[in-house]
Amino acid sequence: MSDHPIPATLRDWAVSWPTYAPVDVTPPELKPSALKREVPSWAEAAPTPADVTDWGRRQSAALIPYRRDAHGWPLHPAGRTGRTGRNLGRWGENAAADPIVIAGTGPQRQILLITRDDIHQEAIPGGMVDPGETAPAALVRELLEETHVDLSDHKPLILGRDLVDDWRQTDHAWVASTSALYVLPTTVTATADDDALDATWYPADSMASLETAISNRGRTLYSAHRPLISRALAELEKLQA
């Protein structure tokens, strides 16, 4: 997702790169001067990682282990991104929850996706875990907020806890998600709300059929969610074999 690709040989933080000059992508509302006036409801007040006081707790609770540099700034677990600053709510790991809802079997199988209002692409109806909230609770809440589908009485299959190639990530702030699979016998009514512009059931007997259906609607699948959906479909093949 990066607009500033890093050569594979230089991505690792252990590799010396004296001339490395990442681009600051911090939006105006998260600049230190703006945070002094008003802190957005979705963001922490710390203007830099040096102002964060609970790094020990954050690192011990992280889905994906990470380290900090000599100045105490968190370092993206996957290495350099070509971007610096913060375009997410928190410095370091931003925990997300992605509920993958699939209905039916075989050729009749369908997946519920939303159209995100920030990038206008088709995506899993997920979002950030709120402070003090558990990932299972966030899975249910995000799905309900964005699609009005209530699966609080369903127990999902946790598929994994992974780094997400989110378009907002930087060297010092990134997204790690808990993805979970919900399997329904048939589709249910879904209505877009909150951060979703639309909520749509798409054919999902394979990744190829899904992407074709999305393309036929003149839309694009959010690339960061492609591996999550692919894994869910592979797991379903095993479960429904």
Side-chain angles (χ1 to χ4, degrees), residues 10 24 35 47 85 89 100 104 121 131-132 153 166 193 224 237:
L10 294 173
D24 191 338
L35 290 174
I100 303 170
Q121 294 181 351
D153 60 344
D166 191 278
D193 203 349
E237 289 296 330

Side-chain angles (χ1 to χ4, degrees), residues 2 4-7 10-13 15-23 75-76 79-84 170-172:
S2 176
H4 314 284
I6 301 297
L10 294 173
R11 190 169 296 128
D12 194 315
W13 292 110
V15 177
S16 177
W17 189 358
T19 59
Y20 178 52
V23 176
L75 296 175
H76 195 301
R80 298 181 175 96
T81 66
R83 299 149 62 94
T84 191
T170 69
D171 288 353
H172 309 296

Side-chain angles (χ1 to χ4, degrees), residues 128-141:
M128 297 301 173
V129 178
D130 288 339
E133 184 180 38
T134 64
L139 288 164
V140 172
R141 176 184 55 76

Side-chain angles (χ1 to χ4, degrees), residues 68-111:
R68 290 184 289 152
D69 64 17
H71 303 289
W73 286 41
L75 296 175
H76 195 301
R80 298 181 175 96
T81 66
R83 299 149 62 94
T84 191
R86 173 169 62 115
N87 195 11
L88 288 161
R90 291 160 57 89
W91 292 103
E93 182 180 280
N94 289 256
D98 287 307
I100 303 170
V101 184
I102 298 179
T105 60
Q108 285 72 48
R109 195 160 57 200
Q110 297 185 66
I111 185 171

